[in-house]
Amino acid sequence: GAGVSQTPSNKVTEKGKYVELRCDPISGHTALYWYRQSLGQGPEFLIYFQGTGAADDSGLPNDRFFAVRPEGSVSTLKIQRTERGDSAVYLCASSPGGPWSTEAFFGQGTRLTVV
Amino acid sequence: GESVGLHLPTLSVQEGDNSIINCAYSNSASDYFIWYKQESGKGPQFIIDIRSNMDKRQGQRVTVLLNKTVKHLSLQIAATQPGDSAVYFCAENTPTSYDKVIFGPGTSLSVIP
């Protein structure tokens, strides 16, 4: 596609439920990033993939959060036993690879609301 | 630790005036800085970047100034237009974590027609 696509755009879930958020990066981009943005704040780094492997997962807040990218393209962010504090916009970005650069583009985000 | 912050959370300017958005960073090892614009319901969009070996860089209607002595970054928007209304973030990148950028809290710019 022309840009980074994230689905769904909005997700409402009950506390304690499991959710999956999907990111389709720009075709050919080997690097993929997940960020979380709480209301009124800047995006917070979660995890970075280079190809299929997680090169840096230092931003994942706890073991309820997990992300995969099995074929080096689409990525899924998985959140178990959701809590109200998980409510945020989850942003995905992709880039051709290497250091963060001007070639990194963000998707529109998935707004997750835990009720 | 690493952190990036902004002096002004909100800024209102008259259409046609120049806007200045400021950012302070704490990590003296940061060597790459980017300004992003985020409109409601959208992801951050790249505006302009600057490396630490420069103190000024100009784009179309935008200028970024970097003062490494006081660890301060600013974004200047010339002849501000209604379409410039958005939240602006500065983000920093360091040699030890080149694979990601750290965002500041953001400044909301509102352009008054």
Side-chain angles (χ1 to χ4, degrees):
Chain A
V4 178
S5 177
Q6 294 187 245
T7 54
S9 297
N10 288 281
K11 175 70 176 178
V12 180
T13 191
E14 293 182 345
K15 180 176 177 295
K17 298 291 188 183
Y18 167 84
V19 296
E20 290 188 351
L21 311 179
R22 176 186 170 110
C23 173
D24 281 84
I26 292 172
S27 179
H29 279 192
T30 61
L32 185 146
Y33 314 82
W34 284 100
Y35 278 78
R36 176 171 70 174
Q37 186 173 25
S38 299
L39 187 64
Q41 298 184 20
E44 175 188 20
F45 172 79
L46 295 178
I47 187 169
Y48 155 62
F49 287 90
Q50 180 57 49
T52 60
D56 182 350
D57 64 356
S58 61
L60 294 178
N62 51 60
D63 61 6
R64 294 187 298 106
F65 288 74
F66 190 70
V68 295
R69 196 186 184 200
E71 298 179 357
S73 179
V74 171
S75 177
T76 304
L77 179 65
K78 308 180 181 192
I79 310 174
Q80 298 177 322
R81 305 183 304 280
T82 52
E83 300 177 355
R84 292 196 178 88
D86 299 334
S87 296
V89 174
Y90 289 81
L91 293 164
C92 177
S94 72
S95 81
W100 186 278
S101 73
T102 62
E103 298 299 316
F105 295 96
F106 282 89
Q108 84 284 2
T110 292
R111 180 175 298 278
L112 175 67
T113 303
V114 182
V115 297
Chain B
E2 300 172 344
S3 68
V4 177
L6 294 173
H7 294 304
L8 297 173
T10 60
L11 178 65
S12 294
V13 298
Q14 203 72 38
E15 180 179 357
D17 287 351
N18 297 334
S19 303
I20 299 176
I21 300 172
N22 296 302
C23 174
Y25 64 95
S26 61
N27 190 341
S28 57
S30 294
D31 62 356
Y32 181 52
F33 304 88
I34 308 175
W35 279 101
Y36 285 94
K37 173 186 180 182
Q38 187 175 28
E39 296 174 287
S40 181
K42 296 183 179 180
Q45 177 185 5
F46 169 85
I47 301 174
I48 192 168
D49 62 346
I50 189 168
R51 296 204 174 270
S52 59
N53 61 351
M54 303 173 68
D55 53 19
K56 180 179 180 179
R57 188 157 191 230
Q58 288 184 293
Q60 187 178 11
R61 283 203 305 119
V62 293
T63 301
V64 55
L65 299 177
L66 175 63
N67 185 330
K68 294 181 288 295
T69 302
V70 296
K71 291 184 284 189
H72 184 268
L73 198 67
S74 69
L75 176 70
Q76 300 179 1
I77 305 174
T80 312
Q81 303 169 0
D84 295 327
S85 294
V87 178
Y88 290 81
F89 296 96
C90 65
E92 65 178 324
N93 180 265
T94 67
T96 56
S97 61
Y98 68 89
D99 54 347
K100 59 182 179 282
V101 289
I102 299 169
F103 285 83
T107 292
S108 177
L109 175 65
S110 178
V111 181
I112 304 166

